[in-house]
Amino acid sequence: EADIYQTPRYLVIGTGKKITLECSQTMGHDKMYWYQQDPGMELHLIHYSYGVNSTEKGDLSSESTVSRIRTEHFPLTLESARPSHTSQYLCASSEQGPYNEQFFGPGTRLTVL
Amino acid sequence: AQSVTQPDIHITVSEGASLELRCNYSYGATPYLFWYVQSPGQGLQLLLKYFSGDTLVQGIKGFEAEFKRSQSSFNLRKPSVHWSDAAEYFCAVATKAAGNKLTFGGGTRVLVKP
């Protein structure tokens, strides 16, 4: 079944740790996105990719980094987690073309102590 | 730059009553318009979208939305709310000028009273 997956769903980690949030999609979409969402707030785009070896920063500045080595995989990494990184991170994907319907994963809720 | 405003942060509605959620956008041309729903602890699910043509759009779960160019609005409606409609609703826009990236409104939280 075509879908978009995120792991872990919940992560509690100490300050200074390196973390990687995984995102995979089985829909063959070229475009992938990472959003950050604080509780009760809107989504802010932090990274996007239009294909393999293509990554761009989004509208909201983030200390995280991303990579796109395979079409289906778009991991997000924080080299040194801080409490200010506590948030929900949502991954999405869409087809190429002007009609930008995005499909979202379930999200990763990150808490940095 | 494109922007989206959802004026209502919270709305409480009785089960069986009608629901209308407001969305206004700011952009010179007609953007692509979307409504997403987010249940607690979940990702976003697309309810409906408007690209062109008929300004009244039907979506899933009995929702519809009407695009009004003169008011720069894309309000979401449902004639009769069910308890399962309690969730956060986000309006979003995309434009070619912005590379078709989505810009989201602040969201409206809907509470359903029994």
Side-chain angles (χ1 to χ4, degrees), chain A residues 9-10 31 33 35 37 40-43 45 48 50 59 88 90 97-102 104-107 109, chain B residues 32 34 36 38 41-46 49 51 88 90 94 96 98-107 109:
Chain A
R9 291 292 313 276
Y10 303 92
K31 295 182 177 181
Y33 312 82
Y35 293 89
Q37 183 187 29
M41 305 296 287
E42 69 260 51
L43 285 74
L45 181 68
Y48 62 98
Y50 285 169
D59 303 321
Q88 174 158 256
L90 289 160
Y99 305 133
N100 199 36
E101 177 179 345
Q102 295 184 16
F104 283 79
R109 186 167 296 279
Chain B
Y32 307 128
F34 305 82
Y36 283 88
Q38 185 180 33
Q42 300 297 315
L44 276 70
Q45 180 182 23
L46 182 68
K49 57 184 184 259
F51 297 142
E88 185 98 22
F90 291 95
K96 288 184 180 179
N100 291 317
K101 298 191 298 290
L102 283 176
T103 297
F104 284 87
R109 182 168 297 279

Side-chain angles (χ1 to χ4, degrees), chain B residues 53-75:
Chain B
D54 192 348
T55 57
L56 185 62
V57 180
Q58 301 298 321
I60 63 171
K61 304 185 179 186
F63 284 92
E64 66 178 25
E66 185 172 13
F67 169 62
K68 292 185 177 180
R69 184 190 307 273
S70 61
Q71 299 176 17
S72 297
S73 69
F74 188 54
N75 294 348

Side-chain angles (χ1 to χ4, degrees), chain B residues 1-5 24-27 93 103:
Chain B
Q2 62 197 42
S3 66
V4 183
T5 302
N24 294 96
Y25 66 90
S26 173
Y27 184 63
V93 302
T103 297

